Amino acid sequence: MIFLFAGAVIVSFQVSFAILPGNYTKLTKLQSRQSQYIIFMHSQQKTMSTPKYKLTYFNCMWLAEPIRYLLSYVKEDFEDVRIDYGEWEKNDGKINKDEFLYQKLPVLEDSENGLTLGQSFTIARYLGRKYNLAGKTDVEAAKCDEYSDVLKDVLKEIEMIYEKDEKTKAELNTNFLEKTIPRYFSVIESDLKKNGGKYLVGNGITWIDFLLCHLAQLFSLLSESDVLTDYPTIKKYQQEIFAIPEIKAWIDKRPVTPY
């Protein structure tokens, strides 16, 4: 069912919900093999045409948000399919995971190139290359890849915190904040500062800027501490990336989720 108030659309389903301000429009609810999906269209235009991209992920930001940032930045409409994570984890057959590459999400479908692609960092890298946001030289492209691998290492460590008992979790969180973040973010802070503070690689925005800004925010949320407190250059840069008109517009209109 759909409720309208205060200029926003609230779409309420059995398995999930999202608050959708602005021009972020609910399309349909699909039932396939008794599975339930929520599909939204992110449109930059007043009149929507069939988008060339379909991004399927859970109803959260997590690993897919840098992809959504990138597509928003290049002003590409995309079909944003969100699957309830609780339903996905039940393994009761209602969601056929064989429909998705490696039985994992996210998955991007690019109708323009006839491509179905898995793995979040690979998707972001692919779109970065497609839209010339992957560095202007081989060296810059390699640095984007290096930073993405660094962020993947940090992500693995923060994910470990949520697989242990409370005492171990607290110890791992302390280690994450006192050792992991300084080991990696001190280097990133220095590199960003040397590069002028506006972009992490080269003299223009790249896909790694979206990845770093989002994951730094995610690390703060999951660790319940501002991981950028000691890294003012990254913090200012993050604020500037999020203030880019296309990114700000997406942030303002995207479904409201905890993480």
Side-chain angles (χ1 to χ4, degrees):
M1 67 182 66
I2 303 176
F3 303 94
L4 301 175
F5 75 98
V9 181
I10 297 183
V11 183
S12 178
F13 295 142
Q14 177 182 349
V15 298
S16 188
F17 73 93
I19 299 174
L20 310 178
N23 196 28
Y24 195 70
T25 308
K26 175 255 182 182
L27 289 183
T28 187
K29 173 185 177 183
L30 291 184
Q31 292 185 338
S32 173
R33 292 186 178 89
Q34 297 181 330
S35 62
Q36 292 181 304
Y37 304 80
I38 304 173
I39 300 181
F40 303 103
M41 176 85 78
H42 168 52
S43 176
Q44 301 278 353
Q45 310 297 329
K46 291 183 178 179
T47 58
M48 293 182 295
S49 58
T50 302
K52 68 180 70 168
Y53 298 109
K54 177 180 177 181
L55 178 64
T56 303
Y57 192 55
F58 305 113
N59 188 28
C60 60
M61 294 177 283
W62 204 260
L63 296 179
E65 203 64 10
I67 302 166
R68 297 175 182 132
Y69 284 150
L70 200 157
L71 288 171
S72 299
Y73 179 76
V74 297
K75 300 181 180 180
E76 284 285 3
D77 296 344
F78 61 96
E79 192 176 353
D80 189 13
V81 181
R82 295 173 178 242
I83 297 177
D84 184 271
Y85 184 73
E87 294 296 311
W88 177 271
E89 284 294 291
K90 284 181 180 178
N91 292 317
D92 57 6
K94 290 184 179 180
I95 295 178
N96 182 9
K97 294 182 181 180
D98 290 335
E99 294 178 352
F100 306 100
L101 281 176
Y102 316 113
Q103 300 183 354
K104 296 183 70 175
L105 299 177
V107 170
L108 178 77
E109 296 174 49
D110 178 355
S111 62
E112 185 176 55
N113 287 342
L115 175 69
T116 299
L117 194 63
Q119 299 296 320
S120 58
F121 285 29
T122 298
I123 294 169
R125 183 183 294 109
Y126 164 73
L127 291 172
R129 289 172 177 168
K130 187 174 181 180
Y131 289 97
N132 298 314
L133 300 175
K136 298 176 182 178
T137 67
D138 290 343
V139 170
E140 290 183 1
K143 290 301 291 185
C144 287
D145 290 342
E146 176 193 331
Y147 291 125
S148 72
D149 286 341
V150 164
L151 292 167
K152 190 177 294 184
D153 287 344
V154 181
L155 185 62
K156 287 178 182 177
E157 294 205 28
I158 192 71
E159 288 176 341
M160 288 173 57
I161 295 173
Y162 292 88
E163 297 177 1
K164 307 293 181 179
D165 59 56
E166 288 302 313
K167 181 181 178 181
T168 306
K169 175 181 173 180
E171 293 172 353
L172 288 171
N173 197 46
T174 298
N175 183 75
F176 177 79
L177 293 171
E178 295 182 357
K179 294 184 178 180
T180 302
I181 288 297
R183 184 188 351 163
Y184 294 110
F185 275 61
S186 60
V187 177
I188 295 173
E189 172 79 6
S190 177
D191 289 355
L192 180 61
K193 195 171 184 178
K194 289 176 184 176
N195 200 46
K198 192 171 183 180
Y199 307 111
L200 186 54
V201 174
N203 60 4
I205 199 163
T206 61
W207 66 277
I208 202 63
D209 293 312
F210 302 124
L211 191 66
L212 172 58
C213 290
H214 169 65
L215 288 181
Q217 185 180 60
L218 183 65
F219 299 153
S220 293
L221 178 65
L222 296 179
S223 66
E224 300 180 350
S225 180
D226 185 357
V227 301
L228 297 183
T229 297
D230 296 327
Y231 308 103
T233 307
I234 303 177
K235 195 175 188 69
K236 183 174 183 292
Y237 146 89
Q238 182 193 60
Q239 293 169 347
E240 291 175 350
I241 293 294
F242 286 161
I244 293 171
E246 293 83 2
I247 304 304
K248 185 179 184 303
W250 166 253
I251 291 171
D252 289 343
K253 71 178 66 172
R254 67 187 176 193
V256 177
T257 58
Y259 52 84

